Coordinates of all heavy atoms in Angstrom, one line a residue:
M295 N 109.2 132.2 99.8 CA 108.6 130.8 99.9 C 109.2 130.2 101.2 O 110.3 130.4 101.6 CB 109.1 130.0 98.8 CG 108.4 130.3 97.5 SD 106.9 129.5 97.3 CE 106.6 129.7 95.6
F296 N 108.4 129.5 101.9 CA 108.8 128.8 103.1 C 108.1 127.4 103.1 O 107.1 127.2 102.5 CB 108.6 129.6 104.3 CG 107.2 129.9 104.6 CD1 106.5 129.1 105.5 CD2 106.5 130.9 104.0 CE1 105.1 129.3 105.8 CE2 105.2 131.2 104.3 CZ 104.5 130.4 105.2
R297 N 108.8 126.5 103.8 CA 108.2 125.1 103.9 C 107.9 124.9 105.4 O 108.6 125.2 106.3 CB 109.3 124.1 103.4 CG 108.8 122.7 103.6 CD 109.7 121.7 102.9 NE 111.1 121.9 103.2 CZ 112.1 121.8 102.4 NH1 111.9 121.5 101.1 NH2 113.3 122.0 102.8
V298 N 106.7 124.3 105.6 CA 106.3 123.8 106.9 C 106.3 122.3 106.9 O 105.8 121.7 106.0 CB 104.8 124.3 107.2 CG1 104.3 123.8 108.5 CG2 104.8 125.9 107.1
T299 N 106.9 121.8 107.9 CA 106.9 120.3 108.1 C 106.3 119.9 109.4 O 106.6 120.5 110.4 CB 108.4 119.8 108.0 OG1 109.0 120.2 106.8 CG2 108.4 118.2 108.2
I300 N 105.4 119.0 109.4 CA 104.8 118.4 110.6 C 105.4 117.0 110.7 O 105.2 116.2 109.8 CB 103.3 118.3 110.6 CG1 102.7 119.7 110.4 CG2 102.8 117.7 111.9 CD1 101.1 119.6 110.2
D301 N 106.1 116.8 111.8 CA 106.7 115.4 112.1 C 105.5 114.6 112.7 O 105.1 114.8 113.9 CB 107.8 115.6 113.1 CG 108.4 114.3 113.5 OD1 107.8 113.2 113.3 OD2 109.5 114.3 114.1
R302 N 105.0 113.7 111.9 CA 103.8 112.9 112.4 C 104.1 112.0 113.5 O 103.2 111.6 114.3 CB 103.3 112.1 111.2 CG 102.6 113.0 110.1 CD 102.2 112.2 108.9 NE 101.5 111.0 109.2 CZ 100.1 111.0 109.4 NH1 99.5 112.1 109.3 NH2 99.5 109.8 109.6
Q303 N 105.4 111.7 113.7 CA 105.7 110.8 114.8 C 105.8 111.6 116.1 O 105.7 111.0 117.2 CB 107.1 110.1 114.5 CG 106.8 109.1 113.4 CD 108.1 108.4 112.9 OE1 109.1 109.1 112.7 NE2 108.1 107.1 112.7
A304 N 106.1 112.9 116.0 CA 106.1 113.7 117.2 C 104.8 114.3 117.5 O 104.5 114.6 118.7 CB 107.2 114.9 117.0
C305 N 103.9 114.5 116.5 CA 102.6 115.2 116.7 C 101.8 114.3 117.7 O 101.7 113.1 117.6 CB 101.9 115.3 115.4 SG 100.2 115.9 115.6
A306 N 101.2 115.0 118.7 CA 100.4 114.4 119.7 C 99.0 114.7 119.6 O 98.2 114.4 120.5 CB 101.0 114.7 121.1
G307 N 98.6 115.4 118.5 CA 97.2 115.7 118.3 C 96.6 116.7 119.4 O 95.4 116.6 119.7
I308 N 97.4 117.6 119.8 CA 97.0 118.5 120.8 C 96.2 119.7 120.2 O 95.3 120.3 120.8 CB 98.2 119.0 121.6 CG1 98.9 117.9 122.3 CG2 97.8 120.1 122.6 CD1 100.3 118.1 122.7
F309 N 96.5 119.9 118.9 CA 95.8 120.9 118.1 C 96.0 122.4 118.6 O 95.1 123.2 118.3 CB 94.4 120.6 117.9 CG 94.2 119.3 117.1 CD1 93.4 118.3 117.6 CD2 94.9 119.0 116.0 CE1 93.3 117.0 117.0 CE2 94.8 117.8 115.3 CZ 94.0 116.8 115.8
A310 N 97.0 122.7 119.2 CA 97.3 124.1 119.5 C 97.7 124.8 118.2 O 97.5 126.0 118.1 CB 98.5 124.2 120.5
C311 N 98.2 124.1 117.2 CA 98.5 124.7 115.9 C 97.3 125.3 115.2 O 97.3 126.3 114.6 CB 99.3 123.7 115.1 SG 98.4 122.1 114.8
L312 N 96.2 124.6 115.3 CA 95.0 124.9 114.5 C 94.5 126.3 114.9 O 94.0 127.0 114.0 CB 93.8 123.9 114.7 CG 93.9 122.6 113.9 CD1 95.1 121.8 114.0 CD2 92.6 121.8 114.1
V313 N 94.6 126.7 116.1 CA 94.0 128.0 116.5 C 95.0 129.1 116.2 O 94.6 130.3 116.3 CB 93.6 128.0 118.0 CG1 92.5 127.0 118.3 CG2 94.8 127.7 118.9
R314 N 96.2 128.8 115.9 CA 97.2 129.9 115.5 C 97.2 130.1 114.0 O 97.5 131.2 113.5 CB 98.6 129.5 115.9 CG 99.0 130.0 117.3 CD 98.3 129.3 118.4 NE 98.7 129.7 119.7 CZ 98.4 129.0 120.8 NH1 97.6 127.9 120.7 NH2 98.8 129.4 122.0
D315 N 97.0 129.0 113.2 CA 97.1 129.1 111.8 C 96.1 128.2 111.2 O 96.2 126.9 111.4 CB 98.5 128.8 111.3 CG 98.7 128.9 109.8 OD1 97.8 129.0 109.1 OD2 99.9 129.0 109.4
D316 N 95.1 128.7 110.5 CA 94.0 127.8 110.0 C 94.4 127.0 108.8 O 93.5 126.2 108.3 CB 92.7 128.6 109.7 CG 92.9 129.7 108.6 OD1 94.0 129.7 107.9 OD2 92.0 130.5 108.4
R317 N 95.6 127.1 108.3 CA 96.1 126.1 107.3 C 96.4 124.8 108.0 O 96.6 123.8 107.3 CB 97.3 126.7 106.6 CG 97.0 127.9 105.8 CD 98.2 128.6 105.3 NE 99.0 129.2 106.4 CZ 100.0 130.0 106.2 NH1 100.4 130.3 105.0 NH2 100.7 130.4 107.2
F318 N 96.6 124.7 109.3 CA 96.7 123.5 110.0 C 95.3 122.9 110.2 O 94.4 123.7 110.7 CB 97.4 123.7 111.3 CG 98.9 124.0 111.2 CD1 99.3 125.3 110.9 CD2 99.9 123.0 111.4 CE1 100.7 125.5 110.8 CE2 101.2 123.2 111.2 CZ 101.6 124.5 110.9
V319 N 95.1 121.7 109.9 CA 93.8 121.1 110.0 C 93.9 119.7 110.6 O 95.0 119.1 110.6 CB 93.0 121.0 108.7 CG1 92.7 122.4 108.1 CG2 93.8 120.2 107.7
E320 N 92.8 119.2 111.2 CA 92.8 117.9 111.8 C 92.8 116.8 110.7 O 91.9 116.9 109.8 CB 91.6 117.7 112.7 CG 91.7 116.3 113.4 CD 90.6 116.2 114.5 OE1 90.0 117.3 114.9 OE2 90.4 115.1 115.0
G321 N 93.7 115.9 110.7 CA 93.7 114.9 109.6 C 93.4 113.5 110.2 O 92.9 113.4 111.3
A322 N 93.7 112.5 109.4 CA 93.4 111.2 109.8 C 94.2 110.8 111.0 O 95.2 111.4 111.3 CB 93.8 110.2 108.6
E323 N 93.7 109.9 111.8 CA 94.4 109.3 112.9 C 94.5 110.4 114.1 O 95.3 110.2 114.9 CB 95.8 108.8 112.6 CG 95.7 107.7 111.5 CD 97.0 107.4 110.8 OE1 98.0 108.0 111.3 OE2 97.0 106.8 109.8
G324 N 93.7 111.4 114.0 CA 93.8 112.4 115.0 C 95.0 113.3 115.1 O 95.4 113.8 116.1
L325 N 95.7 113.3 114.0 CA 97.0 114.1 113.9 C 96.8 115.3 113.0 O 95.9 115.3 112.2 CB 98.1 113.3 113.4 CG 98.4 112.0 114.2 CD1 99.6 111.2 113.5 CD2 98.8 112.3 115.6
A326 N 97.6 116.3 113.2 CA 97.5 117.5 112.4 C 98.0 117.3 111.0 O 99.0 116.5 110.8 CB 98.3 118.7 113.0
T327 N 97.4 118.0 110.0 CA 97.9 118.0 108.7 C 97.8 119.4 108.1 O 97.4 120.3 108.9 CB 97.2 116.9 107.8 OG1 97.9 116.9 106.5 CG2 95.8 117.3 107.6
L328 N 98.1 119.6 106.9 CA 98.1 121.0 106.3 C 97.1 121.0 105.2 O 96.9 120.0 104.4 CB 99.5 121.4 105.8 CG 100.4 121.6 107.0 CD1 101.9 121.4 106.6 CD2 100.3 123.0 107.5
D329 N 96.4 122.1 105.0 CA 95.3 122.2 104.0 C 95.9 122.3 102.6 O 96.6 123.2 102.3 CB 94.5 123.5 104.3 CG 93.4 123.7 103.3 OD1 93.2 122.9 102.4 OD2 92.7 124.7 103.5
P330 N 95.7 121.3 101.8 CA 96.3 121.3 100.4 C 95.8 122.4 99.6 O 96.5 122.8 98.7 CB 95.9 119.9 99.8 CG 94.8 119.4 100.7 CD 94.9 120.1 102.0
E331 N 94.6 122.9 99.9 CA 94.1 124.0 99.0 C 94.8 125.3 99.3 O 94.8 126.2 98.5 CB 92.6 124.2 99.4 CG 91.8 122.9 99.2 CD 90.7 123.0 98.3 OE1 90.1 124.1 98.1 OE2 90.4 122.0 97.6
A332 N 95.4 125.4 100.5 CA 96.1 126.7 100.8 C 97.6 126.6 100.5 O 98.3 127.6 100.5 CB 96.0 126.9 102.3
A333 N 98.1 125.4 100.1 CA 99.5 125.3 99.8 C 99.9 125.4 98.4 O 99.1 125.1 97.5 CB 100.0 123.9 100.4
E334 N 101.1 125.9 98.1 CA 101.6 125.8 96.7 C 102.0 124.4 96.3 O 101.7 124.0 95.2 CB 102.9 126.7 96.7 CG 102.8 128.1 97.2 CD 102.2 129.0 96.1 OE1 102.4 128.8 94.9 OE2 101.4 129.9 96.5
R335 N 102.6 123.7 97.3 CA 102.9 122.3 97.1 C 102.7 121.6 98.4 O 102.9 122.1 99.5 CB 104.3 122.1 96.6 CG 104.7 122.9 95.4 CD 106.0 122.4 94.8 NE 107.2 122.8 95.6 CZ 107.8 123.9 95.6 NH1 107.3 125.0 95.0 NH2 108.9 124.2 96.3
L336 N 102.4 120.3 98.3 CA 102.2 119.5 99.5 C 102.5 118.1 99.3 O 102.3 117.5 98.2 CB 100.7 119.6 100.0 CG 100.3 118.9 101.3 CD1 99.4 119.8 102.1 CD2 99.7 117.6 101.0
H337 N 103.1 117.5 100.3 CA 103.5 116.1 100.2 C 103.3 115.4 101.6 O 103.6 116.0 102.6 CB 105.0 115.9 99.8 CG 105.4 114.5 99.8 ND1 105.0 113.6 98.8 CD2 106.2 113.8 100.6 CE1 105.5 112.4 99.0 NE2 106.3 112.5 100.1
R338 N 102.7 114.2 101.6 CA 102.5 113.5 102.8 C 103.2 112.2 102.7 O 103.3 111.5 101.7 CB 101.0 113.1 103.0 CG 100.1 114.3 103.2 CD 98.7 113.8 103.6 NE 97.7 114.9 103.5 CZ 97.0 115.1 102.4 NH1 97.1 114.3 101.3 NH2 96.1 116.1 102.3
S339 N 103.8 111.8 103.8 CA 104.4 110.4 103.9 C 103.9 109.9 105.3 O 103.2 110.5 106.0 CB 105.9 110.4 103.8 OG 106.4 111.0 105.0
D340 N 104.3 108.6 105.6 CA 103.9 108.1 106.9 C 104.5 108.9 108.0 O 104.0 108.9 109.1 CB 104.4 106.6 107.0 CG 103.6 105.7 106.1 OD1 102.5 106.1 105.6 OD2 104.1 104.6 105.8
T341 N 105.7 109.5 107.8 CA 106.4 110.1 108.9 C 106.2 111.7 109.0 O 106.5 112.2 110.0 CB 107.9 109.8 108.8 OG1 108.4 110.2 107.5 CG2 108.2 108.4 109.0
E342 N 105.9 112.3 107.8 CA 105.7 113.7 107.9 C 104.8 114.3 106.8 O 104.5 113.6 105.8 CB 107.1 114.4 107.8 CG 107.8 114.2 106.4 CD 109.2 114.8 106.4 OE1 109.8 115.0 107.5 OE2 109.7 115.0 105.3
V343 N 104.3 115.5 107.0 CA 103.6 116.3 106.1 C 104.4 117.5 105.8 O 104.8 118.2 106.7 CB 102.2 116.7 106.6 CG1 101.4 117.5 105.5 CG2 101.4 115.5 107.0
T344 N 104.7 117.8 104.5 CA 105.4 119.0 104.2 C 104.5 119.8 103.2 O 103.9 119.3 102.3 CB 106.8 118.7 103.5 OG1 106.6 118.0 102.3 CG2 107.7 118.0 104.5
A345 N 104.5 121.1 103.4 CA 103.8 122.0 102.4 C 104.6 123.3 102.3 O 105.2 123.8 103.2 CB 102.4 122.3 103.0
V346 N 104.5 123.8 101.0 CA 105.2 125.1 100.7 C 104.2 126.2 100.6 O 103.1 126.0 99.9 CB 106.0 124.9 99.4 CG1 106.6 126.2 98.9 CG2 107.1 123.9 99.6
F347 N 104.5 127.3 101.2 CA 103.5 128.4 101.2 C 104.3 129.7 100.7 O 105.5 129.8 101.0 CB 103.0 128.7 102.6 CG 102.1 127.6 103.1 CD1 102.7 126.7 104.0 CD2 100.8 127.4 102.7 CE1 102.0 125.6 104.5 CE2 100.1 126.3 103.2 CZ 100.7 125.4 104.1
A348 N 103.6 130.6 100.1 CA 104.2 131.9 99.7 C 104.0 133.0 100.7 O 104.8 133.9 100.8 CB 103.6 132.3 98.3
E349 N 103.0 132.9 101.5 CA 102.7 134.0 102.4 C 102.2 133.4 103.8 O 101.9 132.3 103.9 CB 101.5 134.8 101.9 CG 101.8 135.5 100.5 CD 100.6 136.2 100.0 OE1 99.5 136.1 100.5 OE2 100.9 136.9 98.9
G350 N 102.3 134.3 104.8 CA 101.7 134.0 106.1 C 102.7 133.2 106.9 O 102.3 132.4 107.8
R351 N 104.0 133.5 106.8 CA 105.0 132.8 107.6 C 104.8 133.0 109.1 O 105.0 132.1 109.9 CB 106.4 133.2 107.1 CG 107.5 132.5 107.9 CD 108.9 132.7 107.4 NE 109.8 132.1 108.3 CZ 110.9 131.5 108.0 NH1 111.3 131.5 106.8 NH2 111.6 130.9 108.9
E352 N 104.4 134.3 109.4 CA 104.3 134.6 110.8 C 103.3 133.7 111.6 O 103.5 133.2 112.7 CB 103.9 136.1 111.0 CG 104.0 136.6 112.4 CD 103.7 138.1 112.5 OE1 104.2 138.8 111.7 OE2 102.9 138.4 113.4
R353 N 102.2 133.4 110.9 CA 101.2 132.5 111.5 C 101.7 131.1 111.6 O 101.5 130.4 112.6 CB 99.9 132.5 110.6 CG 99.1 133.7 110.7 CD 97.8 133.5 109.8 NE 98.1 133.6 108.4 CZ 97.5 132.8 107.5 NH1 96.6 131.9 107.8 NH2 97.8 133.0 106.2
A354 N 102.5 130.6 110.6 CA 103.0 129.3 110.7 C 104.0 129.2 111.9 O 104.1 128.2 112.6 CB 103.7 128.9 109.4
E355 N 104.8 130.3 112.1 CA 105.8 130.3 113.2 C 105.1 130.3 114.5 O 105.5 129.7 115.5 CB 106.7 131.5 113.0 CG 107.7 131.2 111.9 CD 108.7 132.4 111.7 OE1 108.5 133.4 112.2 OE2 109.6 132.1 110.9
Q356 N 104.0 131.0 114.6 CA 103.2 131.0 115.8 C 102.7 129.6 116.2 O 102.7 129.2 117.3 CB 102.0 132.0 115.8 CG 102.5 133.4 115.8 CD 101.3 134.4 115.6 OE1 100.2 134.0 115.3 NE2 101.7 135.7 115.6
A357 N 102.2 128.9 115.1 CA 101.8 127.5 115.3 C 103.0 126.6 115.8 O 102.8 125.8 116.7 CB 101.2 127.0 114.0
A358 N 104.1 126.8 115.2 CA 105.3 126.0 115.6 C 105.7 126.3 117.0 O 106.0 125.4 117.8 CB 106.5 126.3 114.6
T359 N 105.6 127.6 117.4 CA 106.0 127.9 118.8 C 105.0 127.3 119.8 O 105.4 127.0 120.9 CB 106.0 129.5 118.9 OG1 107.0 130.0 118.0 CG2 106.4 129.9 120.3
A360 N 103.7 127.3 119.4 CA 102.7 126.8 120.3 C 102.7 125.3 120.4 O 102.0 124.7 121.3 CB 101.3 127.3 119.8
C361 N 103.3 124.6 119.5 CA 103.3 123.1 119.5 C 104.1 122.5 120.7 O 105.3 122.6 120.7 CB 103.8 122.6 118.2 SG 103.9 120.8 118.1
P362 N 103.5 121.9 121.6 CA 104.2 121.4 122.8 C 105.3 120.4 122.5 O 106.4 120.6 123.0 CB 103.1 120.8 123.7 CG 101.9 121.5 123.3 CD 102.0 121.7 121.8
P363 N 105.1 119.4 121.6 CA 106.3 118.5 121.3 C 107.2 119.0 120.2 O 108.0 118.2 119.8 CB 105.5 117.2 120.9 CG 104.2 117.7 120.3 CD 103.9 119.0 121.0
D364 N 107.1 120.2 119.8 CA 108.0 120.7 118.7 C 107.9 119.9 117.5 O 108.9 119.6 116.9 CB 109.5 120.7 119.2 CG 109.8 122.1 119.9 OD1 109.1 123.0 119.6 OD2 110.8 122.1 120.6
A365 N 106.7 119.6 117.0 CA 106.5 118.8 115.9 C 106.5 119.6 114.6 O 106.5 119.0 113.5 CB 105.2 118.0 116.0
I366 N 106.5 120.9 114.7 CA 106.4 121.7 113.5 C 107.7 122.5 113.2 O 108.3 123.1 114.1 CB 105.3 122.8 113.6 CG1 104.0 122.1 113.9 CG2 105.2 123.7 112.4 CD1 102.9 123.0 114.4
T367 N 108.2 122.4 111.9 CA 109.4 123.2 111.5 C 109.0 124.1 110.4 O 108.2 123.7 109.5 CB 110.4 122.2 111.0 OG1 110.7 121.2 112.0 CG2 111.7 122.9 110.6
V368 N 109.5 125.3 110.5 CA 109.2 126.3 109.4 C 110.6 126.8 108.9 O 111.5 127.2 109.7 CB 108.5 127.6 110.0 CG1 108.2 128.6 108.9 CG2 107.1 127.1 110.6
E369 N 110.8 126.7 107.6 CA 112.1 127.1 107.0 C 112.0 127.7 105.7 O 111.1 127.4 104.9 CB 113.0 125.8 107.0 CG 112.5 124.7 106.1 CD 113.2 123.4 106.3 OE1 114.3 123.4 106.7 OE2 112.5 122.4 106.1
D370 N 112.9 128.6 105.4 CA 113.0 129.3 104.1 C 113.4 128.2 103.0 O 114.3 127.4 103.3 CB 114.0 130.4 104.0 CG 113.4 131.6 104.7 OD1 112.2 131.9 104.6 OD2 114.1 132.4 105.4
I371 N 112.9 128.3 101.8 CA 113.4 127.5 100.7 C 113.4 128.3 99.5 O 112.8 129.4 99.4 CB 112.5 126.3 100.4 CG1 111.1 126.7 100.0 CG2 112.5 125.3 101.6 CD1 110.3 125.6 99.4
D372 N 114.2 127.9 98.5 CA 114.2 128.5 97.2 C 112.8 128.4 96.6 O 112.0 127.5 97.0 CB 115.2 127.9 96.2 CG 116.6 128.2 96.7 OD1 116.8 129.2 97.4 OD2 117.5 127.4 96.4
A373 N 112.4 129.1 95.6 CA 111.1 129.1 95.0 C 110.8 127.7 94.5 O 109.6 127.3 94.6 CB 111.0 130.1 93.8
C374 N 111.8 127.0 94.0 CA 111.5 125.6 93.5 C 112.7 124.8 93.8 O 113.8 125.2 93.6 CB 111.3 125.7 92.0 SG 110.7 124.2 91.3
E375 N 112.4 123.6 94.4 CA 113.5 122.6 94.6 C 113.3 121.4 93.7 O 112.4 120.6 94.0 CB 113.5 122.2 96.1 CG 113.8 123.4 97.0 CD 114.1 123.0 98.4 OE1 113.7 121.9 98.8 OE2 114.7 123.8 99.1
P376 N 114.0 121.3 92.6 CA 113.7 120.3 91.6 C 113.8 118.9 92.3 O 114.6 118.6 93.2 CB 114.9 120.4 90.6 CG 115.3 121.9 90.7 CD 115.1 122.2 92.2
G377 N 112.9 118.1 91.9 CA 112.8 116.7 92.5 C 112.0 116.6 93.7 O 111.8 115.5 94.2
E378 N 111.6 117.7 94.3 CA 110.8 117.7 95.5 C 109.5 117.0 95.2 O 108.8 117.4 94.3 CB 110.5 119.1 96.0 CG 109.7 119.2 97.2 CD 109.5 120.7 97.6 OE1 110.4 121.5 97.5 OE2 108.3 121.0 97.9
P379 N 109.2 115.9 95.9 CA 107.9 115.3 95.7 C 106.7 116.1 96.1 O 106.8 116.9 97.1 CB 108.0 114.0 96.6 CG 109.0 114.4 97.6 CD 109.9 115.4 97.1
A380 N 105.6 116.0 95.4 CA 104.5 116.8 95.8 C 103.2 116.2 95.3 O 103.2 115.7 94.2 CB 104.6 118.3 95.2
E381 N 102.2 116.2 96.1 CA 100.9 115.7 95.6 C 100.1 116.9 95.0 O 99.2 116.7 94.2 CB 100.1 115.2 96.8 CG 100.7 113.9 97.4 CD 100.1 113.6 98.8 OE1 99.0 114.1 99.1 OE2 100.8 112.9 99.5
V382 N 100.4 118.1 95.5 CA 99.8 119.3 94.9 C 100.9 120.2 94.4 O 101.9 120.4 95.1 CB 99.0 120.0 96.1 CG1 98.5 121.3 95.5 CG2 97.9 119.2 96.6
G383 N 100.7 120.7 93.2 CA 101.7 121.6 92.6 C 103.0 120.7 92.2 O 102.8 119.7 91.7
G384 N 104.1 121.2 92.5 CA 105.3 120.5 92.1 C 106.2 121.4 91.2 O 105.7 122.4 90.6
C385 N 107.5 121.1 91.2 CA 108.4 121.9 90.5 C 108.4 121.5 89.0 O 108.2 120.4 88.7 CB 109.8 121.8 91.0 SG 110.0 122.4 92.7
R386 N 108.6 122.5 88.2 CA 108.7 122.2 86.7 C 110.0 122.6 86.2 O 110.7 123.5 86.7 CB 107.6 122.9 86.0 CG 106.3 122.3 86.2 CD 105.2 123.0 85.5 NE 104.5 124.0 86.3 CZ 103.6 123.7 87.2 NH1 103.2 122.4 87.4 NH2 103.0 124.6 87.9
Ligands
SF4_476 S1 100.2 121.5 118.0 FE1 101.8 120.1 117.4 S2 101.3 118.2 118.5 FE2 99.5 119.5 118.4 S3 98.3 118.9 116.6 FE3 99.6 120.6 116.0 S4 101.5 119.6 115.3 FE4 100.4 118.1 116.4

């Protein structure tokens, strides 16, 4: 499992991420977001979008590398982090 975070305050809407990983999509306000249908869990706030995925880490890392303002973080996580907020999925 790994978590992808988009820092919405750093994102400049350049969309280099979209062509590296199709789980990145154009969201409201011309900023990148993550496809909730592709994620195990997803949470949005005013400052960031976080989503947990089980597969395809390499594509997410390519998107992070391609992002000019370094708005994307990819990190390993445990299978479930109790208390983690989520609009899709969630820990039980
Ligand atoms: S490449 Fe980075 S700055 Fe551009 S839309 Fe994606 S997250 Fe935002």
Side-chain angles (χ1 to χ4, degrees):
M295 290 273 193
F296 62 98
R297 176 169 53 218
V298 177
T299 303
I300 301 174
D301 179 342
R302 289 172 51 83
Q303 293 174 315
C305 175
I308 300 160
F309 298 129
C311 51
L312 274 61
V313 296
R314 267 71 176 193
D315 185 340
D316 60 11
R317 295 170 295 190
F318 288 80
V319 294
E320 184 170 350
E323 301 160 14
L325 302 178
T327 187
L328 290 154
D329 180 0
E331 307 237 329
E334 305 282 325
R335 305 193 290 281
L336 182 139
H337 178 70
R338 294 189 195 95
S339 71
D340 288 344
T341 56
E342 62 184 23
V343 181
T344 60
V346 173
F347 299 99
E349 296 177 356
R351 181 175 174 144
E352 192 176 313
R353 284 185 286 143
E355 286 179 349
Q356 287 173 359
T359 300
C361 176
D364 269 340
I366 302 168
T367 305
V368 180
E369 59 195 333
D370 283 324
I371 61 164
D372 291 336
C374 190
E375 296 191 342
E378 180 182 314
E381 292 164 25
V382 174
C385 295
R386 285 180 266 280

